[in-house]
Amino acid sequence: MTTKVLIVFHDAHEYVARLQKRFPAVEFHAAHHGEEAKGVIADVDVIMGLGHHIPNTLIAAAPKLKWVQALTTGTETLTAPGVLPKHVILTSTRGIHGPQMSELAFLDMIALARDFRRMLRNQAEAKWDQWNQPILDGKTVVIVGLGLLSEHLAERAKLFGMYVIGVSSGRRQAPHCDEVVSRDELVKVAARADFLMLLVPYAPETHHLINRNVLAAMKPSAFLINLARGGVLDEAALIEHLRAGKIAGAALDVFSPQPLPPDSPLWRMANVIITPNVGGRSNVFVEQTLTVIEPNLQAFVDGRRNDLRNVVPH
């Protein structure tokens, strides 16, 4: 029986073109969004797409669905109760986003530390204004969440001469970390951070993990960077601390709600850098995800379900 795969993505046709060459016996369908998939969804065995862009209604309309391949590390919208039937396998692309996430983390750390927004304002005004440039060497980065992305970032932070503290709910050691502490010690280590870096998955237990208590513990010279999920951070508390000058600034790639509403005060804060949820993106994203998709699809077609990589319990 022919395996039928639906790819829901803005570059869905590129995936189809590449995968069709390796899997000529598989029937592929491309859709830019869920509405375009209505005509084929009843017969598909597999759905591939960004986890948060696969509508629940699309899954509910796929009675033959056996496997969902998320093109993201985060799958919280798919593992929510009642979304996926228990027999449907869920896999992620965990581990492929390290380069782009780490580069954005360093872009944010350097831009915040050196007040690069001020540089750009001066350039627009043709204003020659010099000040001593802070360096990352010797600074402490506290990384909240210790998955593969954090390990990738920690390794590169050590090359910059940084001291790395990891915060984990279960691990007590991790590669390239000088220290690893439990979440119970988050307030204590937040007080030591020059950069508090959020890379923890979103779940009920991490909702507003970074709250007023954590923010209040941070040094006035410290910066917060959120590359995780908007719900991990209490944005209202962050705004209060930024306005009061209790922390030096923030760089935010994710928000709650998202997109960030135009009336949010975060847009207009001089000590905030906003990026539109681009942390996981790259100009070679398709190639990166195919390193997981291709072996997984081969295993699925061969009937080797136990060989699927990055299976996510739900």
Side-chain angles (χ1 to χ4, degrees):
M1 186 175 294
T2 302
T3 299
K4 298 180 180 180
V5 177
L6 170 66
I7 303 174
V8 184
F9 192 62
H10 61 87
D11 280 340
H13 290 284
E14 183 175 353
Y15 278 103
V16 170
R18 296 195 181 212
L19 289 169
Q20 193 73 76
K21 294 177 182 178
R22 177 167 173 179
F23 302 95
V26 173
E27 182 180 314
F28 292 98
H29 298 275
H32 294 100
H33 48 75
E35 287 295 312
E36 290 185 356
K38 284 185 175 180
V40 299
I41 189 60
D43 292 322
V44 302
D45 304 291
V46 182
I47 298 176
M48 298 181 180
L50 299 174
H52 50 289
H53 284 178
I54 300 176
N56 295 357
T57 53
L58 195 65
I59 293 170
K64 298 182 181 179
L65 185 65
K66 302 176 183 66
W67 168 38
V68 174
Q69 171 67 69
L71 304 180
T72 49
T73 298
T75 56
E76 66 275 4
T77 58
L78 298 171
T79 56
V83 174
L84 279 181
K86 288 297 181 183
H87 71 275
V88 176
I89 301 169
L90 173 63
T91 57
S92 73
T93 48
R94 177 177 179 266
I96 64 103
H97 302 88
Q100 52 262 46
M101 293 291 280
S102 292
E103 289 184 21
L104 180 57
F106 276 100
L107 172 66
D108 287 337
M109 285 193 289
I110 293 170
L112 286 169
R114 297 190 174 213
D115 198 358
F116 198 67
R117 289 192 60 178
R118 177 179 167 189
M119 291 277 194
L120 294 176
R121 291 193 297 270
N122 288 344
Q123 179 178 340
E125 299 170 7
K127 181 180 178 181
W128 189 267
D129 180 21
Q130 296 176 311
W131 63 92
N132 290 335
Q133 295 293 291
I135 60 175
L136 298 185
D137 185 54
K139 295 294 192 295
T140 295
V141 57
V142 174
I143 305 176
V144 183
L146 277 184
L148 292 178
L149 294 178
S150 298
E151 291 180 13
H152 194 280
L153 173 59
E155 181 179 15
R156 281 141 187 80
K158 294 306 298 177
L159 295 174
F160 273 79
M162 303 184 77
Y163 190 85
V164 181
I165 302 174
V167 179
S168 174
S169 60
R171 302 176 70 178
R172 290 300 169 263
Q173 58 183 5
H176 316 295
C177 288
D178 296 288
E179 298 178 41
V180 175
V181 303
S182 70
R183 280 189 196 158
D184 294 339
E185 298 182 72
L186 179 54
V187 170
K188 185 185 299 184
V189 294
R192 298 168 58 190
D194 295 301
F195 300 95
L196 186 63
M197 182 78 61
L198 311 186
L199 279 171
V200 66
Y202 181 73
E205 59 269 22
T206 60
H207 179 74
H208 286 188
L209 179 65
I210 308 304
N211 53 28
R212 282 179 171 81
N213 291 337
V214 176
L215 293 167
M218 295 175 66
K219 297 181 292 188
S221 59
F223 301 98
L224 180 139
I225 300 172
N226 190 6
L227 304 181
R229 288 287 187 267
V232 169
L233 170 66
D234 184 341
E235 287 180 7
L238 174 67
I239 290 169
E240 290 176 13
H241 282 73
L242 288 168
R243 281 175 169 164
K246 293 181 179 179
I247 64 173
L252 308 170
D253 187 54
V254 287
F255 306 89
S256 182
Q258 193 164 282
L260 183 64
D263 60 351
S264 170
L266 291 169
W267 285 109
R268 291 168 289 281
M269 289 185 165
N271 56 348
V272 173
I273 295 172
I274 289 175
T275 51
N277 196 4
V278 295
R281 296 194 174 211
S282 80
N283 61 336
V284 289
F285 183 76
V286 173
E287 289 85 350
Q288 289 176 313
T289 54
L290 285 175
T291 63
V292 175
I293 292 172
E294 288 186 343
N296 271 1
L297 184 54
Q298 188 66 64
F300 183 84
V301 170
D302 293 344
R304 296 180 288 107
R305 308 290 172 85
N306 291 335
D307 291 338
L308 288 170
R309 294 168 50 189
N310 293 348
V311 173
V312 180
H314 67 89

